[in-house]
Amino acid sequence: MYERELYYVGHEEYFLLFLYSFILHKKDVLFPKLETFTGVNVFEGCTGLTVVSLSKVTSLETGLFSLCQSLREASLPKVTTIGGYVFRNCTLLETVDLPEVVSVENMAFAECASLATIVLPKAETCDTHVFWKCTSLENVILPAVKKLGSRVFS
């Protein structure tokens, strides 16, 4: 999907409703020029979504991709903050590219049952239950971490 296919209708609520219904029928979300989302749970429950590529977005709001159970891959090279529940219950998520993340809020990857490896080279903070019920998780690389919340892995 490319940004030229979207039309802003004047009110954010209508745009988000249009965007949500559009995404329900698409498999990939590619917004090369989009810089920010101003709402929570924007793509929550988009079960057809398989790939996300947001090359300029720097922050992911609460629940942004929660319950996107077909999501397999997310490329978010500029994101520095991951809000709570962002990838919660994305059961098929296998690949995540987050090289600039500094902060990960609670339950951000909870119930990502297919996630086996995660590398967050700049993450300094991981809140509570970040990797709760990530049953396939074998490798977690957090070389810069300074603060871990309670029960990060359980």
Side-chain angles (χ1 to χ4, degrees):
M1 177 166 69
Y2 300 96
E3 68 279 355
R4 64 177 151 61
E5 295 176 337
L6 300 176
Y7 300 95
Y8 187 78
V9 293
H11 297 288
E12 182 175 330
E13 302 85 28
Y14 296 120
F15 175 70
L16 290 177
L17 182 61
F18 167 76
L19 181 61
Y20 181 77
S21 65
F22 191 84
I23 297 304
L24 281 175
H25 303 4
K26 296 293 179 183
K27 296 188 183 294
D28 301 344
V29 175
L30 309 170
F31 290 122
K33 295 182 181 178
L34 186 70
E35 295 181 8
T36 188
F37 286 106
T38 58
V40 299
N41 304 326
V42 174
F43 297 107
E44 180 180 28
C46 290
T47 56
L49 189 60
T50 59
V51 176
V52 171
S53 179
L54 303 171
S55 57
K56 293 189 178 191
V57 174
T58 58
S59 179
L60 302 179
E61 298 291 328
T62 301
L64 186 64
F65 300 108
S66 181
L67 298 168
C68 292
Q69 295 181 339
S70 297
L71 183 62
R72 293 180 180 277
E73 180 181 336
S75 177
L76 307 156
K78 302 250 176 151
V79 169
T80 57
T81 303
I82 300 175
Y85 306 90
V86 167
F87 293 105
R88 183 184 65 83
N89 206 358
C90 293
T91 55
L92 297 180
L93 186 64
E94 297 173 340
T95 305
V96 182
D97 178 27
L98 295 161
E100 299 298 321
V101 167
V102 176
S103 175
V104 184
E105 294 182 11
N106 56 315
M107 298 191 87
F109 294 97
E111 300 175 280
C112 291
S114 299
L115 190 63
T117 299
I118 189 154
V119 179
L120 302 172
K122 295 185 179 181
E124 296 178 1
T125 304
C126 285
D127 286 345
T128 306
H129 297 294
V130 169
F131 302 108
W132 180 67
K133 289 194 177 181
C134 291
T135 54
S136 297
L137 195 58
E138 294 179 5
N139 301 302
V140 178
I141 301 170
L142 304 166
V145 76
K146 295 177 182 176
K147 179 184 173 192
L148 288 175
S150 64
R151 298 184 174 180
V152 172
F153 300 100
S154 64

